[in-house]
Amino acid sequence: MPEHLPSKPSKPPQALALPLQRNALLSALDSALENSDASNFLTALAIIDVRDFSELNRSFGNECGNAILAEINQRLEQLPNETFLHHYLGNDEFGIVLPQLKSPGFAVICAEQILALFKGVFEWQNHTLKITINMGIAYNYAQHLESSKLLLDAELALKQAKTSNLPYSMLGKNEQQSSDQLKWELLNNLHVAMQEDELELYYQPKLCIKSDKGDGDNKSRQASRYAEALIRWPTVDHGLIAPDITIPLIEHLGSELDLINWLVNTALKHLSETDAHHDCGVSVNIPANSVTSKALYQLIEQALQMWDVEPNRLTLEITEDVLIKDKELAFDYLSKVRETGVRVSIDDFGTGYSSLAYFKHIPADELKIDRIFVKNMLHNEGDRNIVKLIIDLAHAFKLDVVAEGVEDNHTLDLLKSMGCDYAQGFLISHPIPYKDYLLWLKEKPEF
Ligand code: C2E
Ligand code: CA
Ligand code: CA
């Protein structure tokens, strides 16, 4: 460039949403690659990019764009930080190092976990925004691969995902694999697992913490020893796969009712095998779109007869949004199921936007306070007030209250002092296999 020409005026610097972490990403990648060269594990790199981000900035302004990036960063923090090392790369890109993968397929499970973070809408001022992403994934298919090569491959895969309008795409040794191909493999494996009865039920106890354990309004309906059944898919290559991945895949297969049938029958079989005193209960999660299916109620009735279990020892956990979306129909179905004696619990309560008016006729026996409020209640007055409000509201309508996500003794004590009825969370027990749950029942640890 001739010297007398002025250089291009630089744009005024814009406030960044987050600190740039490109170097931190490269050093995390370098050390993951080093470890992986010394072991049998693989390292993958996923790069995510927000779809239509410039349009979002144009329509709502940079302040909105920055708020969305900050929220994405927060959502990424919810992933376990030993397996997902996330870094902001500038613009609308984040890089996530996935160390210690047992096989390339495991990267797909990680990709599904990342995608699941974008299911919920984003709120900005009074706008509700649906944010979608594209993701490019690359892994070290050979020893001594440089981090710069992985970065390049992940960017190439991202480009492919964007041009083909796919949620993710992976670049491996031989060729690019689309999310469709990868998902198909996973679906196929899950289908076989369901056919071969390879899914497992884990149990997480709900501990009774009411000071007056005797004559609550719901006493006749509620079993004194009680646990939530949670599904796990054990796989040789990827270890135990969590329901956040499995359930959407099962829905994709159109096999929700097969799953519920297996779930209810397995849970009731376990109850009838072990519960000589008839004082144990179990709750199962029912996905939103099955609540208004007639077949659901038939299969529950058959299962109760088959295993000769009293209906009040079975609880159906249903998320709050079901009652908001198809209110009339859902109220109708749930009222009928309650007439048979089966209990109904409203799960993740507080995260939907239900109106107070519906409480008057709510067809439920129990509310479960979402762990998002319980987690911060010691330090956040707003969350503490919400928890207290839900407990009082529930009691005013003669419902039991369960607090989810109880992880420490101080929170447990505070919940007791607020009059909460049941506590569930890692402090009491992680979800454990059936045989370990039997031991837990025998030992009855004190809290
Ligand atoms: P959920 O119904 O809210 O279940 C509780 C989840 O919270 C479980 O995750 C459990 O491991 C986790 N959790 C329990 N205590 C704590 C704690 O103290 N701290 C934290 N951070 N987490 C805690 P999991 O087992 O991965 O289940 C995730 C979700 O998958 C469940 O959320 C439920 O909605 C769904 N799910 C699980 N099993 C089934 C099933 O058989 N059918 C259907 N439809 N959904 C299921
Ligand atoms: Ca639940
Ligand atoms: Ca829940």
Side-chain angles (χ1 to χ4, degrees):
M1 180 165 68
E3 267 176 22
H4 60 274
L5 283 181
S7 57
K8 229 168 126 192
S10 57
K11 279 197 212 156
Q14 239 176 45
L16 281 174
L18 299 161
L20 286 180
Q21 297 169 317
R22 203 174 184 89
N23 289 338
L25 175 98
L26 286 173
S27 65
L29 195 53
D30 278 335
S31 65
L33 284 171
E34 220 174 277
N35 286 339
S36 139
D37 281 343
S39 65
N40 284 330
F41 290 115
L42 297 173
T43 290
L45 171 67
I47 296 185
I48 65 173
D49 174 297
V50 181
R51 242 184 250 179
D52 302 323
F53 189 67
S54 18
E55 210 166 302
L56 182 83
N57 274 324
R58 261 198 307 279
S59 314
F60 297 97
N62 288 335
E63 205 192 316
C64 171
N66 285 355
I68 297 296
L69 293 176
E71 165 86 26
I72 292 177
N73 198 54
Q74 266 186 9
R75 291 192 187 190
L76 289 171
E77 268 158 25
Q78 293 167 17
L79 297 167
N81 55 14
E82 335 64 89
T83 28
F84 294 84
L85 312 168
H86 70 278
H87 300 85
Y88 177 56
L89 298 179
N91 294 325
D92 57 347
E93 284 193 2
F94 290 82
I96 303 157
V97 179
L98 310 166
Q100 302 219 321
L101 301 183
K102 289 186 192 135
S103 71
F106 197 82
V108 181
I109 291 166
C110 295
E112 291 287 338
Q113 274 176 287
I114 295 169
L115 281 181
L117 298 176
F118 292 84
K119 276 198 191 136
V121 292
F122 287 61
E123 310 269 347
W124 186 71
Q125 294 187 344
N126 38 20
H127 301 284
T128 301
L129 304 165
K130 177 75 193 141
I131 302 293
T132 51
I133 55 164
N134 293 113
M135 190 175 349
I137 309 163
Y139 67 92
N140 59 338
Y141 50 82
Q143 287 259 314
H144 311 303
L145 224 59
E146 302 266 323
S147 51
S148 54
K149 164 80 173 137
L150 231 63
L151 203 58
L152 198 70
D153 280 357
E155 291 282 6
L156 272 174
L158 174 63
K159 203 164 158 195
Q160 168 72 29
K162 279 190 195 172
T163 42
S164 320
N165 205 12
L166 291 168
Y168 54 88
S169 161
M170 183 157 90
L171 193 67
K173 188 174 181 178
N174 300 320
E175 56 182 307
Q176 192 99 29
Q177 278 187 291
S178 73
S179 50
D180 287 346
Q181 289 168 318
L182 293 163
K183 209 163 173 173
W184 190 85
E185 263 181 50
L186 206 60
L187 274 175
N188 207 25
N189 291 343
L190 177 59
H191 186 69
V192 172
M194 284 184 72
Q195 303 271 315
E196 315 257 304
D197 199 16
E198 285 167 358
L199 298 183
E200 274 182 33
L201 267 193
Y202 273 45
Y203 290 89
Q204 188 178 38
K206 296 184 186 178
L207 184 78
C208 183
I209 56 170
K210 355 186 197 202
S211 48
D212 160 25
K213 296 184 186 173
D215 41 44
D217 285 297
N218 276 326
K219 193 201 157 220
S220 57
R221 302 181 67 88
Q222 172 66 299
S224 56
R225 298 183 300 163
Y226 188 28
E228 175 174 4
L230 296 156
I231 181 185
R232 295 288 182 268
W233 175 22
T235 62
V236 179
D237 292 342
H238 314 313
L240 270 189
I241 300 182
D244 290 352
I245 308 291
T246 322
I247 303 292
L249 290 172
I250 287 173
E251 282 171 1
H252 194 84
L253 284 169
S255 308
E256 294 100 311
L257 278 173
D258 292 339
L259 174 75
I260 303 174
N261 199 7
W262 171 83
L263 182 70
V264 173
N265 275 288
T266 310
L268 295 186
K269 172 171 170 259
H270 286 163
L271 261 190
S272 68
E273 269 171 11
T274 56
D275 185 14
H277 306 293
H278 292 230
D279 63 344
C280 282
V282 67
S283 66
V284 297
N285 292 282
I286 302 294
N289 49 9
S290 303
V291 170
T292 52
S293 139
K294 258 200 190 128
L296 171 72
Y297 301 98
Q298 278 163 3
L299 78 81
I300 288 175
E301 213 182 309
Q302 279 167 5
L304 286 166
Q305 274 172 11
M306 167 102 164
W307 302 105
D308 193 21
V309 169
E310 299 87 339
N312 67 345
R313 293 161 65 209
L314 175 67
T315 300
L316 309 183
E317 292 195 11
I318 281 139
T319 50
E320 189 186 3
D321 45 320
V322 179
L323 298 184
I324 302 162
K325 247 187 279 156
D326 288 318
K327 182 170 171 284
E328 302 292 318
L329 203 59
F331 265 51
D332 215 39
Y333 273 89
L334 294 176
S335 305
K336 286 207 182 90
V337 76
R338 286 187 71 230
E339 277 165 23
T340 69
V342 172
R343 299 177 76 250
V344 171
S345 169
I346 311 296
D347 204 356
D348 303 339
F349 188 80
T351 52
Y353 299 91
S354 41
S355 91
L356 281 181
Y358 91 5
F359 260 93
K360 218 164 53 176
H361 305 292
I362 194 167
D365 303 84
E366 174 185 287
L367 287 191
K368 293 187 77 177
I369 311 175
D370 195 84
R371 64 175 169 274
I372 212 160
F373 305 111
V374 177
K375 196 173 81 184
N376 298 321
M377 65 183 279
L378 284 179
H379 312 290
N380 182 315
E381 198 188 349
D383 286 347
R384 198 157 57 240
N385 290 340
I386 291 179
V387 171
K388 177 76 178 122
L389 202 74
I390 298 179
I391 293 172
D392 292 344
L393 185 72
H395 287 163
F397 288 92
K398 307 205 186 314
L399 302 170
D400 273 325
V401 196
V402 182
E404 292 187 334
V406 180
E407 294 185 358
D408 61 86
N409 274 307
H410 293 299
T411 306
L412 184 71
D413 290 342
L414 186 57
L415 287 162
K416 281 181 185 168
S417 74
M418 288 177 164
C420 184
D421 305 304
Y422 291 83
Q424 183 180 356
F426 294 166
L427 172 71
I428 295 136
S429 167
H430 278 255
I432 42 178
Y434 173 56
K435 60 178 184 355
D436 296 343
Y437 175 55
L438 292 181
L439 288 177
W440 190 93
L441 280 173
K442 236 192 227 160
E443 286 163 10
K444 284 197 216 127
E446 288 281 324
F447 289 93

